[in-house]
C-alpha cells in the first residue's frame, strides 16, 4: 500500500451540529432522528434540549440575517424546545447533510430525514451545520457557556 492510500485509511473524526427543530420535537421523532445518526456510526458527543431565546436564535441564524425569511426563521426556531447534538465521525459535516436531505422537505429524497418526516420549509425537522466555520459559530450560539 502506497503512502497516499495508507493516509486514506486513517479517518480523522470531524464534528458537526444538528438541531432537531420544534416541529421534530413536537412530533416526538427526536429518538428516531438521533438514532439514525447513531446507527450510521456517529458518536453523540453532546446532547441538550433547550428553548432558544430570540437573541440566541438571531445569533444561531446570523448567517441568514439579510434574508427575507430571517424573521420567520427566528420566530419558528424559538417557538418551542429543540434538541441539539454534536455528532462526531468520518466526514461528519457532509455525511450528516446527505442524511438530512434537501432544505425543501417536499423535494427531499426518500430515505433522508426531511424526505421521510415532513413537507415543510421553515418546519423541516432538523438543521445541520454546512461547514466547519458554521459548526463553530452555531455550537457557540447553541450551547453558550455550558460545559460539555
Ligand atoms: P436550515 O437548514 O435550518 O437553514 C436555514 C433555514 O431557513 C432552512 O433550514 C429553512 O428551514 C429556512 N428557510 C425558510 N425559508 C427559506 C427559503 N425561502 N429558502 C431557504 N431556506 C428557507
Amino acid at each position: 500500500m502506497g503512502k497516499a492510500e495508507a493516509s486514506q485509511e486513517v479517518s480523522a473524526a470531524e464534528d458537526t451540529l444538528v438541531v432537531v427543530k420544534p416541529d421534530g420535537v413536537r412530533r416526538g421523532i427526536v429518538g428516531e432522528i438521533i438514532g439514525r445518526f447513531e446507527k450510521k456510526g456517529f458518536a453523540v458527543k453532546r446532547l441538550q434540549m433547550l428553548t432558544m431565546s430570540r437573541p440566541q436564535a438571531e445569533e444561531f441564524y446570523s448567517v441568514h440575517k439579510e434574508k427575507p425569511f430571517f424573521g420567520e426563521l427566528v420566530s419558528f426556531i424559538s417557538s418551542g424546545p429543540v434538541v441539539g447534538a454534536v455528532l462526531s465521525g468520518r466526514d461528519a459535516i457532509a455525511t450528516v447533510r446527505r442524511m438530512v436531505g434537501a432544505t425543501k422537505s417536499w423535494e427531499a429524497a426518500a430515505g433522508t430525514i426531511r424526505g421521510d418526516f415532513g413537507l415543510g420549509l421553515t418546519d423541516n425537522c432538523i438543521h445541520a451545520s454546512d461547514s466547519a466555520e458554521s459548526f463553530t459559530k452555531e455550537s457557540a450560539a447553541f450551547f453558550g457557556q455550558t460545559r460539555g
Side-chain angles (χ1 to χ4, degrees):
M1 191 185 286
K3 215 172 175 184
E5 285 169 87
S7 69
Q8 283 180 7
E9 292 301 314
V10 181
S11 58
E14 180 178 65
D15 288 352
T16 192
L17 175 73
V18 294
V19 177
V20 181
K21 296 187 181 186
D23 56 319
V25 174
R26 273 195 284 270
R27 291 170 55 207
I29 54 174
V30 173
E32 168 84 42
I33 291 173
I34 302 297
R36 286 189 175 205
F37 296 120
E38 289 187 304
K39 283 179 222 159
K40 178 70 176 167
F42 291 111
V44 178
K45 280 175 77 173
R46 299 186 76 171
L47 186 66
Q48 189 173 351
M49 175 178 270
L50 54 79
T51 302
M52 287 193 207
S53 65
R54 267 196 90 85
Q56 185 179 15
E58 285 168 2
E59 194 188 334
F60 180 80
Y61 272 137
S62 60
V63 69
H64 296 297
K65 65 176 180 289
E66 307 301 335
K67 306 269 173 66
F69 54 85
F70 182 64
E72 189 186 340
L73 201 52
V74 167
S75 295
F76 180 68
I77 202 75
S78 57
S79 69
V82 295
V83 174
V86 174
L87 304 173
S88 183
R90 188 176 200 157
D91 206 16
I93 293 169
T95 305
V96 165
R97 297 265 303 175
R98 274 195 301 276
M99 292 174 70
V100 163
T103 305
K104 296 173 180 171
S105 299
W106 64 95
E107 289 181 356
T112 65
I113 291 165
R114 288 169 175 162
D116 289 350
F117 298 121
L119 284 169
L121 173 56
T122 304
D123 52 338
N124 59 0
C125 294
I126 183 168
H127 171 85
S129 301
D130 65 1
S131 64
E133 190 191 1
S134 299
F135 165 71
T136 302
K137 284 186 185 163
E138 291 166 3
S139 299
F142 188 88
F143 294 108
Q145 298 302 311
T146 58
R147 296 174 62 194

